Amino acid sequence: MAAETELKFRVPGRKLKALEKPRIAGAKTGEPSTSDLVSTYFDTAKHKLKRHGLTLRVRYDGHDYVQTIKSGAGRQFARGEWESELRDDAFDLEKAEGTPLEELASGRLRRKLKPVFETSVQRITVPLRTKRSEIELAIDRGRTTAGLRYRPIREVELELKSGRVLDLFRVARALERRSGAELDLCSKAERGYELADHDQHGSVSAERVMLDSEFTAGEAFRVIARSTFRHFSSNTDAVREGEHEGVHQMRVGLRRLRAAISLFSKILPKASTEEVKTQLKWLTSALAPARELDVFVKEDIEPASHDALLRRGGRAIRQEFSVRRDRAFARARQAVDSQHYRSMLIDTMQWIEAKQTIAVEDEGGPIGEFAAALLHRRIRKLRKDGRHIDELAARQRHKVRIRAKKIRYAIDFFESLFAGKHERKQLKRLSKQLKRIQDGLGSLNDFVAHRKLAVDAALKAPHRRERDRAFASGVVLGREEQAVKPLIKIAAQEVRGLKPF
């Protein structure tokens, strides 16, 4: 098995030419070489290999056929890669022996495998040498084809052949500054599957986190952090396209990463972690108005605008908040199109992978013990703080909601560690309780935010419409307040019903 440690970037087509002769401080550039690569990816109709985190590819470089099996990254940054030569373009499952594909490589699978998509690229390879590392820069131009559909490929890959991961990120940062390269954790295979499934630029939900009980807490954190990073960064295109769900999923991914940092805070160094948290908060804040206004318009304003009672006032506030929503989505798009965002992606990924990220020598001990102790401690704290939740001020209720949300994320992160029937049943019940707490308190939090938005809009309304808008806003908020009042009682009951894990 070869370990493939690489970073992939999307680069504007007009910038690719300049990278053929990169000028990177502290790095010597070797002679470039060019090759034409045609790769066919195989899977079943239901994408069985993809579901198991595997890819099967046959590549022709003009001279030789090479079969490659790849697995996703586990506790290490690098991905597993197994290569074998072939006589022609037909895959050979007998060569899957000793790979993760071996367990699936039955005669039945062999009959079901078929080409799913193909990539055809011209690759220019440039060797780079720093003082301590050898890095390969690959510039790819071409296309991915799935049936009658295709999409262009304009990518740059940096692969660490030997040396330090730190040098890989240093070169990556130089490329970003020179070409506007954007870190992209989606592989060519993943983009190909998107094309085959007619899912270009769609929103991306969280993937299941798989942990091994043999992991240390530090190793588990890196697996979780990578997963949450992929979650939010994979929604970049959806945010650019103005997809409402894309904005939501990017925010969820950011919250999950911030929750992971909080859950593992005892083993993370304070200084560098604070820097990362600041960047994550910047992006979260840039997205927040778009999400808040979208929910307000869809769930409250639009229904009210069709109410005969409100007439002109309902139409006026719908127009007002729709314009505000559009502006907020434009600001979210500007954020992910910025150099700040591109730099943040590299900085955050480097922080996740750096050896210095974990502050203790034993990396926090076995993850199973760490997870059980954390859940027990967090649930006890939530029960204590939320005992009289119906008497708390809005700010205090918000803190209780965040605590409940973090425990739910912890359950999602650690679920694979608890294989026992009783444990799984307990986690499922706990997750449902926490969701009811989160939903109830979240609705109250939304109401407070919506009230602020409505008051602001009423104060800024033209004089001739001020009365209509104020009346419509009052009706909308009154209805929302009546709808959320019972939820505080439900949340209080669920908090009191929490049991220690």
Side-chain angles (χ1 to χ4, degrees):
M1 183 193 80
E4 187 180 48
T5 304
E6 67 177 18
L7 296 172
K8 186 172 73 69
F9 298 83
R10 290 185 292 178
V11 180
R14 66 185 185 279
K15 298 283 190 176
L16 284 175
K17 185 69 176 177
L19 295 180
E20 293 177 16
K21 295 181 179 180
R23 296 177 183 175
I24 298 172
K28 294 182 179 180
T29 304
E31 284 298 316
S33 60
T34 303
S35 56
D36 294 313
L37 307 174
V38 179
S39 302
T40 304
Y41 291 77
F42 296 87
D43 208 336
T44 66
K46 295 183 178 179
H47 299 169
K48 185 174 183 176
L49 300 190
K50 180 191 175 189
R51 294 200 311 271
H52 284 80
L54 301 172
T55 59
L56 173 62
R57 179 188 77 197
V58 174
R59 171 173 286 174
Y60 181 60
D61 64 3
H63 303 284
D64 302 306
Y65 291 93
V66 177
Q67 175 176 285
T68 303
I69 297 166
K70 290 190 179 186
S71 66
R75 69 171 76 187
Q76 302 296 330
F77 179 32
R79 295 192 303 167
E81 182 181 67
W82 295 261
E83 290 189 341
S84 50
E85 294 184 1
L86 300 174
R87 288 181 295 180
D88 52 33
D89 60 355
F91 63 84
D92 185 354
L93 291 189
E94 290 185 5
K95 295 182 181 292
E97 185 177 352
T99 78
L101 182 55
E102 183 178 7
E103 291 184 15
L104 305 176
S106 63
R108 186 178 180 185
L109 178 71
R110 184 181 291 106
R111 291 190 296 272
K112 288 190 172 185
L113 288 175
K114 63 178 183 179
V116 179
F117 55 91
E118 179 183 278
T119 63
S120 176
V121 300
Q122 181 187 71
R123 170 167 291 181
I124 298 175
T125 304
V126 184
L128 302 172
R129 181 186 290 274
T130 68
K131 203 170 191 179
R132 301 183 184 179
S133 305
E134 292 185 6
I135 297 169
E136 183 178 271
L137 167 66
I139 304 166
D140 288 348
R141 296 183 183 87
R143 64 163 57 179
T144 301
T145 305
L148 298 177
R149 296 178 300 281
Y150 69 91
R151 68 190 302 176
I153 295 174
R154 302 185 188 96
E155 297 175 353
V156 171
E157 292 181 5
L158 290 174
E159 182 175 353
L160 183 65
K161 294 297 186 179
S162 65
R164 307 184 307 167
V165 171
L166 185 64
D167 289 334
L168 185 71
F169 281 98
R170 187 169 62 80
V171 172
R173 204 168 275 104
L175 287 182
E176 185 280 319
R177 287 194 296 266
R178 185 172 184 188
S179 66
E182 179 180 289
L183 184 63
D184 181 11
L185 295 196
C186 288
S187 65
K188 286 185 176 67
E190 289 171 301
R191 295 296 185 191
Y193 278 112
E194 287 178 3
L195 186 63
D197 292 338
H198 304 263
D199 192 26
Q200 296 187 70
H201 306 312
S203 61
V204 178
S205 300
E207 61 192 14
R208 190 181 178 204
V209 176
M210 296 300 296
L211 301 177
D212 192 307
S213 59
E214 295 181 0
F215 286 1
T216 64
E219 289 171 332
F221 171 75
R222 287 191 176 95
V223 172
I224 293 167
R226 288 185 203 118
S227 176
T228 58
F229 185 99
R230 282 172 56 86
H231 184 190
F232 85 76
S233 64
S234 295
N235 283 284
T236 303
D237 284 341
V239 174
R240 287 193 176 111
E241 295 295 319
E243 288 194 18
H244 303 169
E245 185 62 17
V247 171
H248 173 57
Q249 287 299 329
M250 180 174 275
R251 290 186 75 220
V252 172
L254 289 164
R255 285 202 301 264
R256 292 175 72 236
L257 179 50
R258 291 171 65 185
I261 291 171
S262 174
L263 295 169
F264 286 85
S265 60
K266 288 188 176 182
I267 66 170
L268 300 176
K270 189 172 182 180
S272 60
T273 301
E274 285 300 320
E275 292 176 10
V276 170
K277 285 168 63 177
T278 298
Q279 294 303 316
L280 297 177
K281 286 178 183 177
W282 163 76
L283 183 55
T284 301
S285 298
L287 300 172
R291 176 62 180 172
E292 290 172 359
L293 284 163
D294 188 51
V295 171
F296 191 32
V297 169
K298 285 182 177 177
E299 296 184 2
D300 295 306
I301 300 297
E302 287 183 354
S305 68
H306 300 297
D307 192 328
L309 174 68
L310 303 181
R311 291 184 293 180
R312 288 181 300 178
R315 292 193 297 272
I317 61 173
R318 181 181 66 179
Q319 182 180 10
E320 167 71 19
F321 283 102
S322 294
V323 169
R324 290 188 176 210
R325 178 179 59 180
D326 291 344
R327 289 173 180 166
F329 271 92
R331 289 193 293 272
R333 184 164 54 249
Q334 289 171 2
V336 299
D337 278 339
S338 68
Q339 193 275 333
H340 189 168
Y341 178 67
R342 296 192 301 271
S343 179
M344 186 209 80
L345 292 178
I346 297 173
D347 291 345
T348 304
M349 195 67 201
Q350 179 177 335
W351 175 78
I352 292 171
E353 301 303 335
K355 289 182 179 180
Q356 296 79 13
T357 299
I358 307 302
V360 293
E361 282 188 18
D362 63 356
E363 294 211 334
I367 183 56
E369 296 176 12
F370 181 95
L374 184 146
L375 288 172
H376 179 80
R377 185 173 65 252
R378 293 265 175 166
I379 292 169
R380 186 177 60 186
K381 176 71 172 171
L382 177 61
R383 289 181 65 192
K384 180 181 177 182
D385 292 349
R387 188 174 301 157
H388 303 292
I389 198 172
D390 44 352
E391 300 174 10
L392 297 178
R395 187 175 183 83
Q396 293 172 307
R397 285 201 307 262
H398 177 66
K399 290 181 178 180
V400 173
R401 181 177 70 91
I402 296 300
R403 290 195 182 100
K405 185 184 294 185
K406 287 180 180 178
I407 300 173
R408 276 194 74 204
Y409 287 145
I411 291 172
D412 290 341
F413 296 152
F414 301 142
E415 182 184 13
S416 61
L417 296 171
F418 300 98
K421 186 176 180 180
H422 174 72
E423 291 175 326
R424 287 190 172 277
K425 188 175 181 180
Q426 192 177 4
L427 284 176
K428 187 175 181 180
R429 183 182 68 246
L430 177 59
S431 184
K432 286 182 178 179
Q433 287 179 289
L434 292 166
K435 187 176 189 306
R436 286 191 285 268
I437 295 169
Q438 185 181 329
D439 288 348
L441 298 181
S443 296
L444 286 166
N445 190 64
D446 288 344
F447 169 68
V448 173
H450 295 167
R451 182 171 58 193
K452 184 178 180 181
L453 289 170
V455 169
D456 180 67
L459 292 175
K460 294 180 179 178
H463 182 70
R464 67 182 185 279
R465 293 184 178 179
E466 187 174 346
R467 182 177 299 175
D468 290 337
R469 289 193 184 190
F471 175 70
S473 297
V475 171
V476 169
L477 292 172
R479 290 171 178 174
E480 185 176 7
E481 184 177 20
Q482 289 303 311
V484 302
K485 268 185 177 180
L487 298 178
I488 188 67
K489 294 182 179 180
I490 296 174
Q493 290 172 359
E494 295 296 343
V495 170
R496 286 191 287 267
L498 289 173
K499 295 180 180 179
F501 181 76

